[in-house]
Amino acid sequence: MSLSQIDLNLLLVLDTVLSERSVVRAVQHLHVTPSAVSNSLARLRSLLGDPLVIRSGRGIVPTPHAASLAPALKRALSEL
């Protein structure tokens, strides 16, 4: 996978979902539709080969891979 294959908006969605620990709150924060967040996560899952988040009760839990990406992702987005 090349970095040129990744839309930076997908990374913003992932960062928000991981920070909020909720797709519903991510939707509200990003001002997009639930299907937009779902589609973004699906594209990232395909690109990264990982489920990224798992439903847990009323929220979500990051997979170990997503959890390991979260700090670098947050830093990179804040620097941009």
Side-chain angles (χ1 to χ4, degrees), residues 3 8 11-12 14-16 18-19 64-80:
L3 185 58
L8 290 179
L11 299 179
L12 179 60
L14 179 59
D15 178 62
T16 305
L18 294 175
S19 295
H65 183 65
S68 72
L69 292 173
L73 181 58
K74 186 156 291 298
R75 276 193 312 276
L77 290 171
S78 70
E79 288 180 18
L80 288 174

Side-chain angles (χ1 to χ4, degrees), residues 17-55:
V17 167
L18 294 175
S19 295
E20 296 289 340
R21 301 286 176 137
S22 164
V23 172
V24 172
R25 287 193 303 268
V27 163
Q28 293 167 345
H29 182 85
L30 294 168
H31 305 286
V32 296
T33 64
S35 62
V37 170
S38 178
N39 290 335
S40 294
L41 290 174
R43 288 175 60 195
L44 276 171
R45 287 180 181 115
S46 177
L47 285 169
L48 299 176
D50 187 82
L52 301 174
V53 295
I54 300 166
R55 291 186 197 272

